[in-house]
Amino acid sequence: MKPDKNGRNKKWKKYYSLYFLVFVIFLYVGLFIFRPERTQTALKASGDLLIRIIPVMIVVFLFMGIMNYLIEPKGILRYVGKGSGIKGWFLAISTGILSHGPIYVWYPLLKDFRSHGMEDSLIAAFLYNRAVKIPLLPLMIYYFGLSFVIVISVYIIIASIVEGKIIGAVEGHFRERESKNG
Amino acid sequence: MNKEKRDIASSFYKAFRAFRELASMLLGVILLLGLFRTFVSKDVISSLFTGDLLRDTVIGSAIGSIAAGNPITSYIIGGELLKEKVSLLAVTAFIVAWVTVGVIQLPMEAAVFGRRFAFVRNALSFVLSILVAMATVTTLMVLK
């Protein structure tokens, strides 16, 4: 019984992305029947978005290729792996703040780093710090004022550490339990 | 090092493979974002606020979690919500959740990092968006 279940899980995992895409396509088809004009506008908006994120994807792709070439997996472990300490936190927070583009474009790189030992807590901190957008700070100051922007940015960085620590503890706890259960 | 001799072509092929694995998920998320942008207008968002401070903060965080797109949009909507007398607490929760919680990209996050990581991270970010908003507004009040 168990191998069958595992086999199904593996198959589901393998085709999960494809199922998701098919689901979204069906959603478009369904909406097109009721609201054809708006659905076409949505499709156009998606096309525009795709064109806009292509440059960021190219940058992330180049970055990944170069990192794969220059840094050994052991190197990644040293900088953002277990025991990287304050250096790891500083790297995750600062690169999270400096990274551009939509969050999901960075997932392949983070997945790669994770497979080489990047800590879950640091991945969470990186993702949270993307809330601090340096190029958008002038606009934020225009809408909400300088003191608001300074205060919120500090709290976002603090929150990223809190979130990272909690996620690190949760993931560590479950992994330990899973390894005990074999 | 000897075992894993790396060359530039295989390094880039590895990066290409990572993108290829996620291509259909990425396309699905982009298509969902297009739907969201078209079907959920600024007016729809502002109509959801009630005037109750605490409830609006949770609503702000919830809308920010579901909403997606460039953070610029969240600042513009946030600015307009403030003009419509929605509290700074609710607007702050809204703009923080906008960038830290991602309901639309949750399936992709779960596929990449695992369901547990994705759910815990997004749930925590939701709670933290409210706490960050509370801390920010309280600090600003003290500073004034």
Side-chain angles (χ1 to χ4, degrees):
Chain A
M1 197 69 189
K2 216 175 179 183
D4 277 343
K5 200 182 168 193
N6 283 342
R8 268 206 309 273
N9 278 345
K10 265 187 185 171
K11 201 176 165 191
W12 168 254
K13 237 179 172 176
K14 193 179 171 189
Y15 294 109
Y16 177 69
S17 303
L18 202 62
Y19 293 149
F20 177 69
L21 179 62
V22 171
F23 164 75
V24 178
I25 291 169
F26 273 113
L27 195 63
Y28 263 82
V29 173
L31 284 167
F32 185 79
I33 295 167
F34 299 104
R35 307 289 292 270
E37 273 177 28
R38 289 204 114 182
T39 312
Q40 273 179 334
T41 312
L43 196 61
K44 196 182 168 298
S46 302
D48 292 344
L49 181 64
L50 184 64
I51 290 166
R52 269 214 311 277
I53 67 165
I54 282 174
V56 188
M57 281 168 74
I58 292 170
V59 170
V60 175
F61 171 75
L62 290 174
F63 188 63
M64 272 178 85
I66 293 165
M67 293 290 272
N68 283 340
Y69 182 66
L70 293 178
I71 300 178
E72 277 184 83
K74 272 183 197 165
I76 294 170
L77 209 60
R78 196 166 59 237
Y79 290 116
V80 285
K82 209 166 192 168
S84 56
I86 293 173
K87 186 173 66 187
W89 283 97
F90 177 77
L91 266 175
I93 292 169
S94 53
T95 50
I97 292 171
L98 293 172
S99 62
H100 269 293
I103 197 165
Y104 44 86
V105 174
W106 292 90
Y107 288 166
L109 177 77
L110 292 171
K111 187 185 182 187
D112 196 33
F113 277 14
R114 194 193 202 198
S115 69
H116 291 134
M118 183 176 182
E119 283 282 282
D120 289 323
S121 50
L122 299 184
I123 292 174
F126 174 91
L127 294 173
Y128 203 92
N129 274 292
R130 293 179 38 79
V132 182
K133 304 266 180 197
I134 290 175
L136 303 184
L137 288 184
L139 190 75
M140 208 178 182
I141 291 168
Y142 170 78
Y143 276 108
F144 304 101
L146 180 65
S147 45
F148 176 89
V149 173
I150 293 170
V151 172
I152 199 172
S153 301
V154 170
Y155 281 123
I156 285 172
I157 293 170
I158 294 169
S160 77
I161 298 169
V162 172
E163 182 167 284
K165 288 277 182 195
I166 295 173
I167 287 185
V170 171
E171 287 289 315
H173 168 76
F174 279 101
R175 275 206 198 123
E176 202 177 304
R177 221 171 66 173
E178 281 158 10
S179 68
K180 265 184 193 167
N181 293 337
Chain B
M1 184 68 189
N2 289 337
K3 240 193 240 177
E4 279 189 62
K5 200 179 177 196
R6 289 162 293 143
D7 62 73
I8 194 89
S10 63
S11 300
F12 275 96
Y13 180 67
K14 209 175 142 200
F16 168 73
R17 240 179 26 203
F19 268 94
R20 195 185 57 190
E21 270 176 33
L22 290 170
S24 48
M25 187 58 88
L26 193 64
L27 196 59
V29 169
I30 290 167
L31 285 168
L32 267 188
L33 287 171
L35 277 183
F36 182 86
R37 281 182 182 188
T38 313
F39 283 89
V40 185
S41 66
K42 279 179 215 164
D43 296 336
V44 172
I45 290 175
S46 62
S47 70
L48 294 170
F49 290 93
T50 60
D52 181 290
L53 189 68
L54 279 178
R55 194 184 293 174
D56 275 0
T57 307
V58 177
I59 290 172
S61 189
I63 300 170
S65 305
I66 299 162
N70 198 309
I72 294 172
T73 318
S74 77
Y75 303 159
I76 296 168
I77 297 173
E80 283 176 21
L81 289 173
L82 283 178
K83 277 184 207 160
E84 287 175 31
K85 305 282 181 234
V86 174
S87 67
L88 182 62
L89 196 62
V91 171
T92 309
F94 169 75
I95 58 171
V96 175
W98 183 290
V99 270
T100 57
V101 190
V103 171
I104 290 181
Q105 57 260 32
L106 192 64
M108 187 172 179
E109 194 174 331
V112 174
F113 302 114
R115 268 178 286 185
R116 186 176 59 223
F117 179 96
F119 282 109
V120 172
R121 195 192 75 78
N122 281 279
L124 262 177
S125 297
F126 177 81
V127 175
L128 283 169
S129 70
I130 296 171
L131 295 179
V132 166
M134 284 175 168
T136 303
V137 174
T138 311
T139 307
L140 286 173
M141 277 162 65
V142 171
L143 288 176
K144 273 177 189 170

